[in-house]
Amino acid sequence: MNCYFLPILVFTHWCVPSNEIVGTTPERKRTWGSLCQLERALRSAAPCTIIIRRNIHMIFDSISEVFDALLSNFGPRGFKKPKDIAGQVVLVTGAGNGIGRLIATKIATTGCILVLWDIDEKGNEETKRMCDDLGAETHIYRVDMSDRQAIYSTASRVTSDVGVVNIVVNNAGILRDGGDFLKKSDDTIDATIRVNMMAHIWMAKAFLPNMIEQNDGHIVCVCSMSGIVGAKDIVDYSASKFGAFGFQEALENEMCHRKRNIHFTTICPSYIQTTMCDRIPLSSSTNFLSPNHVAEEIVHAILTNKRIVLLPKKTYFLYAAKGLIPRRTFQRLLLFVQK
């Protein structure tokens, strides 16, 4: 800080004679007053410089992280080396069919120990057989994801039977029907909220404590673009996904604030070519995502610790534009990205 006041000292001692500094004439008072004002200005600027200097590492780290995220999301697939999860326990909910089964079979080749949850016992057994054929150690449990106590009790069984779960993939979700929100029953709405949102909260309460104790873990939320952009005809489903997305983000922020080494990944695909989307009245021009492609992106995101993955990639621009452009313009953009 002394460097800021050196010019003042030089000016005072060499440019202004000492016999002129002390005096009562208006000129002498103005001279000394100007020096005092300059000194006060420099003193007030010094803390700002110190703040910038202290935060320079944070600034450079942030810039580096932004470029890393851009390259990770839009660069070549092999940009980031996947982590080794051999021997780790990976739990996948909704593994009895669809995206859950594809996630399980794709991650089965990593050498991890698989724990598969689903209410559909027959479908879950088939997924287990497929994973066993790929050489994975697989454990299956029948769980109703709308039942809080069932989640808690089964989580305790898993910890006792298999060990601490390292990666939780919250994939289970339901969409009973599409159409007019006001025509949907309260039971349908309640079930949708419980499975698609509340189950994520209950899963975190069940498995996060062990992750915190080990200071290591990974929670994955298979969400939806309708959890970022409100979707007509599936209002209850969209609301449940908004809740899941918000919970995941808030929990990540809390763990980050507490300096916990817990990773969070949120996947938001657009419409996928599955039986679930058959229940939604969509335009014939709607472009559906391949379930296999979505599952590959989910597994890749897990292995590279990605934070948020939007599918298809052009929906990143939709996400960025949401709060910046007028509603009607946004609606037109929404129709465009769905094609």
Side-chain angles (χ1 to χ4, degrees):
M1 289 176 60
N2 292 337
C3 63
Y4 297 116
F5 307 115
L6 183 60
I8 295 176
L9 295 174
V10 171
F11 184 79
T12 301
H13 288 287
W14 297 100
C15 298
V16 183
S18 59
N19 63 343
E20 291 188 13
I21 294 177
V22 181
T24 58
T25 65
E27 292 78 9
R28 291 169 183 169
K29 287 183 177 180
R30 281 196 296 271
T31 300
W32 183 246
S34 298
L35 286 172
C36 291
Q37 288 177 3
L38 178 60
E39 181 182 4
R40 284 195 296 269
L42 290 172
R43 284 185 182 275
S44 64
C48 297
T49 307
I50 292 171
I51 291 171
I52 293 173
R53 189 164 62 240
R54 286 176 179 173
N55 290 282
I56 195 71
H57 292 296
M58 182 192 71
I59 294 169
F60 278 109
D61 285 346
S62 298
I63 293 172
S64 174
E65 288 167 0
V66 168
F67 276 105
D68 180 74
L70 289 173
L71 286 171
S72 179
N73 287 312
F74 300 103
R77 187 64 176 267
F79 168 72
K80 200 168 185 179
K81 183 180 179 181
K83 63 184 179 182
D84 182 9
I85 61 170
Q88 293 191 17
V89 179
V90 179
L91 189 156
V92 182
T93 66
N97 55 69
I99 298 296
R101 173 176 288 175
L102 289 169
I103 293 170
T105 54
K106 290 181 184 301
I107 210 166
T109 59
T110 62
C112 67
I113 301 169
L114 276 171
V115 176
L116 309 179
W117 284 16
D118 205 296
I119 196 170
D120 178 3
E121 287 184 285
K122 187 175 180 180
N124 216 20
E125 287 172 359
E126 176 62 19
T127 304
K128 172 178 165 50
R129 184 192 63 76
M130 296 168 70
C131 293
D132 287 343
D133 290 344
L134 293 168
E137 178 185 337
T138 313
H139 306 263
I140 59 173
Y141 297 83
R142 183 188 183 279
V143 189
D144 179 357
M145 298 304 294
S146 68
D147 186 338
R148 180 180 69 247
Q149 290 305 322
I151 289 175
Y152 289 162
S153 62
T154 309
S156 297
R157 286 174 56 201
V158 169
T159 304
S160 176
D161 297 346
V162 186
V164 172
V165 174
N166 305 103
I167 302 173
V168 172
V169 183
N170 289 307
N171 166 75
I174 61 170
L175 195 165
R176 292 285 175 83
D177 52 37
D180 191 342
F181 167 72
L182 293 177
K183 293 180 180 179
K184 296 185 179 183
S185 70
D186 290 343
D187 289 342
T188 293
I189 295 171
D190 181 64
T192 301
I193 297 295
R194 291 173 72 85
V195 174
N196 295 357
M197 183 185 76
M198 294 305 301
H200 291 238
I201 296 174
W202 299 329
M203 291 291 285
K205 291 191 71 177
F207 293 105
L208 186 58
N210 283 332
M211 293 182 181
I212 291 174
E213 185 177 341
Q214 294 189 333
N215 197 33
D216 185 51
H218 197 155
I219 296 178
V220 182
C221 168
V222 180
C223 194
S224 167
M225 274 304 298
S226 65
I228 295 176
V229 179
K232 66 180 183 66
D233 295 322
I234 50 171
V235 173
D236 55 333
Y237 178 85
S238 186
S240 69
K241 291 298 184 178
F242 262 88
F245 186 97
F247 170 71
Q248 180 88 344
E249 184 176 279
L251 187 61
E252 178 184 13
N253 290 340
E254 183 170 302
M255 291 298 104
C256 182
H257 177 72
R258 296 181 180 179
K259 302 187 186 307
R260 306 296 188 184
N261 185 40
I262 313 296
H263 298 286
F264 292 84
T265 297
T266 304
I267 317 292
C268 296
S270 184
Y271 297 114
I272 308 172
Q273 189 65 63
T274 62
T275 54
M276 183 180 288
C277 283
D278 292 341
R279 305 185 183 102
I280 310 172
L282 296 171
S283 167
S284 58
S285 62
T286 300
N287 186 25
F288 289 95
L289 295 170
S290 159
N292 191 63
H293 170 66
V294 173
E296 285 180 352
E297 290 293 332
I298 292 172
V299 173
H300 181 258
I302 294 170
L303 297 179
T304 54
N305 292 331
K306 286 187 177 182
R307 283 192 63 246
I308 298 177
V309 176
L310 308 184
L311 299 171
K313 288 187 177 181
K314 61 184 177 181
T315 52
Y316 279 99
F317 302 103
L318 184 69
Y319 182 41
K322 181 181 177 182
L324 299 175
I325 60 179
R327 182 175 62 86
R328 290 186 181 277
T329 306
F330 181 76
Q331 291 296 326
R332 286 192 287 269
L333 181 61
L334 180 60
L335 291 173
F336 169 75
V337 298
Q338 289 176 353
K339 294 181 180 180

